[in-house]
Amino acid sequence: MSFMDETIASLHTKIKNKDVKVSELTENTYQKIRDVDDSVQAFLTLDEERAMEKARALDEQVDQGSEQPLFGIPAGIKDNILTAGLKTTCASQLLDNFEPVQDATVMERLNEQNIVTVGKLNMDEFAMGSSNENSGYYSTKNPWATDRVPGGSSGGSAAAVAAGEVPFALGSDTGGSIRQPASFCGVVGLKPTYGRVSRFGLVAFASSLDQIGPLTRTVEDNAYVLQEIAGHDPHDSTSVDVDVPDYLSALEGNINGMRIAVPKEFMEEGVEAGVKEQIQSAIRTLESLGASCEEVSLPNANYAVAAYYLLASSEASANLARFDGIRYGVRKGDGDLMDVYKKSRSEGFGDEVKRRIMLGTFALSSGYYDAYYKKAQKVRTLIREDFNHVLHSYDVILGPTAPTTAFKIGEQKDDPLTMYLNDVLTIPVNLSGNPSVSVPCGFSNGLPVGMQLIGKPFEERILYRVAHAYEQETGHYKEKPLL
């Protein structure tokens, strides 16, 4: 059985009808990983023994649990989401020996649905990066072209789904870290509204920006996963207590009369011609389905990257202060306390993490706070107001997810500024807190292109409605990489 030919719904039906056992499905998953992961390198840690034990137990519970839509479905989890008893490293040498004693809230909810956790997925260290090349272990490869990056920081999650290793994976999105790799790998990736999904148990990079979301092959599969992980969590003070609607009911296929905004800033210089061509083709498709698409302006979007890297780095410098080699993680040095701090952090953190800690510490320092951090917060407010203004008149905003297709491994590694611009189209959404989804919308020179849809806060249903109608009309999700 290949996940390339199955959806979560079809797997659920087969398990429910006892056409396939959960243990058989899990065995198949690990065989697929053995077959392709040497080429992709999506996984950091596998949990085969415990997964098979759970799968065999679920074989005996099919009759009781068969109404759970994710019952027995194998999943990969980004390695910055806590998994009790399963190593969680954030792809950092500093946490190489860290085994959490509790699950993140999203894992508790998925385990209540009786998923099978296959293992932990590679990422840019502490979620800082856009290519997966900042992993403290090795770089994940793009299944469509293994000499190219899968995007980041959730590159392992996107690559595992694209390669057919798992039907769904969880990632986290701070500045585009779900959507950009989803675009590069030709899968569906959703960043929910900030506060829609609990961050409790997500190792923090930038607390006011981070959000957990699903990566899947289809929009319907994405809706299945969000349905189970969304909702208020009293353990997370940023979790919002609003009702979770039935996302699957939004997949009706009818978008007639919907108004779609296309910001001119998202189609300017810097966006590859092949990417523009696929987005323009997607616009024509949506118009053929009855939607109207009009050009608008988000005038402050051009300041988003500068504001983001000040804010995110400032929050990172505070959050990562807890990793000191004392309480958990790898300890280096055997001298006094300062010696342990210095050696643990200098040897444990990679170059990109150190770069952002230093940038954030500078921005928060006396004499610079007002000039940098405070001003960046004001820009963030202007960006949020831009989105609110446009979405007052339109149902969704449309544009490319990334300005380019996947670039070659090593091509931008030594150019941080160019690397940062890979998220230029996704960062504004994290600053505003709106939901956004990336959906495959064709190919440029044989590499996937992603279309980004942005919606009103807590209106993920509308995003799914438009994305599903487009997906079913075009069938891009049926394209598969040849590994």
Side-chain angles (χ1 to χ4, degrees):
M1 177 182 293
S2 170
F3 294 134
M4 295 296 198
D5 304 318
E6 302 290 344
T7 65
I8 287 176
S10 66
L11 288 172
H12 172 70
T13 299
K14 289 183 175 181
I15 292 170
K16 183 177 180 179
N17 294 339
K18 300 183 181 179
D19 295 328
V20 63
K21 292 183 176 180
V22 177
S23 56
E24 293 171 343
L25 190 57
T26 306
E27 283 177 7
N28 178 272
T29 301
Y30 283 108
Q31 185 57 53
K32 179 71 172 183
I33 292 169
R34 283 189 285 270
D35 290 342
V36 305
D37 208 56
D38 283 347
S39 299
V40 178
Q41 294 188 293
F43 281 90
L44 285 176
T45 306
L46 294 175
D47 197 23
E48 187 166 2
E49 185 176 338
R50 288 202 307 172
M52 289 305 305
E53 182 180 342
K54 181 174 183 177
R56 285 189 285 268
L58 292 178
D59 285 341
E60 306 301 318
Q61 302 171 28
V62 171
D63 292 332
Q64 303 98 290
S66 60
E67 296 309 312
Q68 296 174 312
L70 300 183
F71 182 91
I73 304 296
I77 309 299
K78 188 176 180 180
D79 205 29
N80 61 346
I81 297 171
L82 298 190
T83 44
L86 178 59
K87 198 161 72 164
T88 300
T89 70
C90 295
S92 177
Q93 292 292 335
L94 191 61
L95 289 177
D96 185 62
N97 62 356
F98 177 55
E99 284 192 6
V101 296
Q102 66 186 105
D103 280 319
T105 295
V106 290
M107 292 309 302
E108 289 181 351
R109 290 177 176 174
L110 289 177
N111 286 330
E112 288 172 1
Q113 284 289 309
N114 286 305
I115 68 151
V116 177
T117 300
V118 172
K120 305 302 287 292
L121 291 158
N122 200 9
M123 56 185 283
D124 287 294
E125 184 181 7
F126 284 103
M128 299 181 191
S130 305
S131 67
N132 223 259
E133 294 170 285
N134 293 328
S135 170
Y137 295 93
Y138 41 77
S139 298
T140 298
K141 315 298 191 298
N142 192 314
W144 291 91
T146 54
D147 64 337
R148 294 181 181 264
V149 302
S153 62
S154 304
S157 300
V161 173
E165 294 178 290
V166 286
F168 83 89
L170 291 187
S172 67
D173 194 310
T174 307
S177 291
I178 288 174
R179 292 160 290 151
Q180 186 247 24
S183 174
F184 279 9
C185 292
V187 298
V188 179
L190 175 84
K191 183 206 85 72
T193 308
Y194 185 80
R196 169 63 87 188
V197 176
S198 173
R199 292 186 304 107
F200 184 75
L202 172 67
V203 179
F205 161 16
S207 304
S208 73
L209 300 163
D210 300 337
Q211 192 67 183
I212 296 171
L215 293 104
T216 57
R217 285 193 58 247
T218 69
V219 174
E220 182 185 47
D221 283 358
N222 212 275
Y224 270 113
V225 180
L226 182 65
Q227 194 74 58
E228 304 308 328
I229 64 173
H232 179 247
D233 176 17
H235 294 113
D236 176 9
S237 62
T238 63
S239 171
V240 181
D241 190 4
V242 295
D243 290 337
V244 178
D246 179 0
Y247 294 117
L248 290 166
S249 67
L251 311 183
E252 59 186 56
N254 179 18
I255 61 170
N256 188 47
M258 295 188 72
R259 299 190 69 200
I260 298 174
V262 183
K264 61 181 182 180
E265 291 83 3
F266 285 10
M267 299 289 279
E268 291 179 341
E269 185 179 356
V271 179
E272 283 182 354
V275 173
K276 282 185 183 178
E277 184 181 331
Q278 295 305 318
I279 296 300
Q280 288 161 351
S281 174
I283 290 170
R284 291 192 293 271
T285 299
L286 291 168
E287 288 176 334
S288 74
L289 294 173
S292 62
C293 299
E294 300 173 17
E295 184 178 88
V296 299
S297 179
L298 295 171
N300 294 293
N302 291 330
Y303 306 113
V305 172
Y308 169 85
Y309 277 100
L310 284 167
L311 296 172
S313 297
S314 296
E315 294 184 23
S317 72
N319 280 324
L320 269 63
R322 73 192 70 183
F323 301 105
D324 53 15
I326 301 294
R327 286 163 288 186
Y328 37 72
V330 175
R331 177 172 179 160
K332 302 287 185 180
D334 53 8
D336 60 19
L337 188 63
M338 289 307 296
D339 179 63
V340 172
Y341 283 167
K342 288 179 181 178
K343 288 185 176 177
S344 295
R345 291 169 68 82
S346 63
E347 294 180 30
F349 288 142
D351 290 344
E352 182 60 30
V353 174
K354 292 175 187 174
R355 184 181 293 120
R356 299 199 194 192
I357 289 174
M358 289 189 287
L359 174 60
T361 303
F362 172 79
L364 292 174
S365 61
S366 177
Y368 295 99
Y369 177 89
D370 285 348
Y372 294 103
Y373 181 80
K374 188 175 179 180
K375 188 171 288 186
Q377 289 285 28
K378 291 180 178 179
V379 172
R380 180 180 193 169
T381 299
L382 294 175
I383 291 169
R384 183 183 296 117
E385 289 174 351
D386 282 351
F387 277 111
N388 289 342
H389 175 72
V390 171
L391 288 168
H392 180 73
S393 304
Y394 294 87
D395 295 296
V396 297
I397 296 170
L398 180 153
T401 305
T404 69
T405 54
F407 48 90
K408 288 189 175 181
I409 293 171
E411 188 176 338
Q412 299 181 12
K413 184 81 164 63
D414 300 321
D415 188 353
L417 292 180
T418 300
M419 187 74 80
Y420 292 169
L421 290 173
N422 282 292
D423 294 331
V424 66
L425 301 175
T426 52
I427 279 172
V429 184
N430 294 84
L431 292 172
S432 70
N434 292 57
S436 177
V437 65
S438 178
V439 185
C441 71
F443 295 83
S444 175
N445 296 320
L447 296 169
V449 174
M451 173 179 69
Q452 178 177 211
L453 299 171
I454 305 164
K456 300 180 181 75
F458 302 102
E459 288 291 351
E460 288 85 0
R461 288 183 80 254
I462 302 298
L463 296 183
Y464 281 147
R465 179 179 167 188
V466 178
H468 183 258
Y470 173 79
E471 174 190 78
Q472 295 303 303
E473 180 69 16
T474 59
H476 292 309
Y477 70 96
K478 297 176 183 177
E479 302 284 345
K480 305 166 189 174
L482 297 175
L483 280 166

